[in-house]
Amino acid sequence: MRVFAPGRVNLIGEHTDYSGGLVLPMAVDLGTTIDGVRGGDRVVLTSDALDGTVDIPIEIVDVATVEPSWGRYVAGVVAEVRPAVGFSGHVTTTLPVGAGLSSSAALEVAVALAIGFGGDRGGLAAACQRAEQRASGVPCGRMDQLASACGIDGHALLIDCSTFAIEPVPMPDDVDIVVVHSGEERTLEGSPYAERRAQLEAGDPRRTRHVRTENERVRAFAGAIAAHDLARAGQLMHESHVSLRDDFEVSTPTLDALVDRLVATPGVHGARLTGAGFGGCVVALTARDALHEGWRVRATEGARVSGG
Ligand code: GLA
């Protein structure tokens, strides 16, 4: 069988998912594929991109000490899904690892489907979010797993994280969504992600101001896209970046410089850091063919299984 799970890029709505706010990601045509067969009582995976062989029993309990370390994401999923039989296969990916395009969520969603997760797509995303938290110890939200599981071809997803209701937002066909890597790699384990979440929950005024204004920007952005007001959409993306930089403090000088350079380029409507921050990628909304760097991504459908 073959399973493909896409990565995601978040257009706007950053660090809002874990407080029940609004996000607007889309699943992208870069992702992770697993080819393999079910059977036995172990999950055994090798990868093109990551070292070592993951070999874990289907009754795995202690997820956080699995080696090689990418196996912790696999083990987290196995511990959540509790498959009746094992699986052996090979993982390939077109997603840059550690770039903020949710390579870990794509791996989790692909593994869950490969080992036979039987629930609906919302349940799949929830199980994979728990797997990510078990594997990494980072109290992440559910945006990445929802985008990978529930993507819709040609659409971004307006997700209300208080209910996880998804409203498809058609993407105009006269724009490009371009993702540019800052060159700074990051892992959420090594970042102040958990600290930011704790500060928000403690009511830090600047952190809560970011979330309040970001939720307003997500609504306004969805409206601007629907009205084909691309200048306004781009401006909202830039305001989001400034808020992430100054109020939520998850940007870096390298990300700021990249955003500044991109928004000064003719044909770029707007740009902002995407994902958790602390490095990783910038996403830009541009006129067709305005940028000749990075990855031009298309909104794609969520994870799919073939050859069952
Ligand atoms: C990471 C997390 C998501 C979300 C973003 C920031 O991608 O996994 O849940 O919190 O950061 O918006």
Side-chain angles (χ1 to χ4, degrees):
M1 68 186 299
R2 166 170 285 194
V3 184
F4 173 80
R8 66 96 188 90
V9 65
N10 190 21
L11 299 179
I12 196 163
E14 218 66 84
H15 287 279
T16 48
D17 60 347
Y18 47 79
S19 58
L22 300 173
V23 295
L24 191 56
M26 63 187 214
V28 298
D29 50 340
L30 298 171
T32 296
T33 301
I34 301 180
D35 287 294
V37 290
R38 290 196 190 133
D41 57 5
R42 305 184 72 80
V43 174
V44 183
L45 289 173
T46 53
S47 159
D48 272 359
L50 299 160
D51 288 337
T53 299
V54 172
D55 184 351
I56 49 177
I58 54 177
E59 313 80 37
I60 183 94
V61 180
D62 190 3
V63 165
T65 58
V66 168
E67 294 291 345
S69 58
W70 64 274
R72 294 172 197 170
Y73 296 94
V74 178
V77 174
V78 171
E80 288 296 332
V81 175
R82 285 283 167 241
V85 293
F87 182 90
S88 73
H90 185 66
V91 182
T92 54
T93 191
T94 51
L95 281 167
V97 174
L101 297 182
S102 297
S103 56
S104 61
L107 177 63
E108 291 146 14
V109 170
V111 169
L113 292 172
I115 64 176
F117 178 84
D120 65 13
R121 290 297 167 122
L124 172 62
C128 290
Q129 177 198 18
R130 292 193 299 270
E132 169 100 25
Q133 293 185 343
R134 272 186 195 241
S136 65
V138 174
C140 66
R142 199 176 297 175
M143 166 172 70
D144 307 345
Q145 292 80 9
L146 274 170
S148 182
C150 305
I152 301 174
D153 190 43
H155 293 70
L157 310 174
L158 174 57
I159 307 174
D160 179 340
C161 295
S162 67
T163 58
F164 300 113
I166 297 178
E167 200 181 303
V169 175
M171 289 303 290
D173 46 22
D174 58 347
V175 298
D176 285 340
I177 302 295
V178 182
V179 178
V180 183
H181 203 305
S182 67
E184 285 181 312
E185 282 208 14
R186 61 106 189 94
T187 60
L188 293 191
E189 292 94 314
S191 78
Y193 184 98
E195 182 189 297
R196 288 294 180 284
R197 181 171 177 160
Q199 290 165 340
L200 180 69
E201 284 162 7
D204 179 302
R206 275 184 311 156
R207 309 297 189 229
T208 54
R209 182 171 61 191
H210 165 72
V211 170
R212 189 179 64 251
T213 58
E214 184 77 350
N215 285 327
E216 289 165 2
R217 284 186 290 270
V218 175
R219 281 242 176 269
F221 181 91
I225 290 291
H228 204 266
D229 187 346
L230 302 176
R232 175 74 183 132
Q235 183 189 13
L236 288 159
M237 289 174 78
H238 192 247
E239 286 171 13
S240 167
H241 183 81
V242 168
S243 179
L244 288 160
R245 182 190 70 196
D246 297 345
D247 278 352
F248 218 67
E249 292 182 293
V250 294
S251 191
T252 65
T254 308
L255 285 167
D256 296 342
L258 178 56
V259 166
D260 287 348
R261 179 169 68 75
L262 293 178
V263 296
T265 306
V268 174
H269 301 300
R272 53 182 289 283
L273 73 82
T274 185
F278 317 107
C281 287
V282 163
V283 60
L285 175 74
T286 79
R288 282 307 262 296
D289 297 322
L291 284 179
H292 300 281
E293 61 186 300
W295 297 271
R296 189 185 311 180
V297 292
R298 252 182 23 82
T300 175
E301 67 178 302
R304 46 229 181 234
V305 182
S306 53

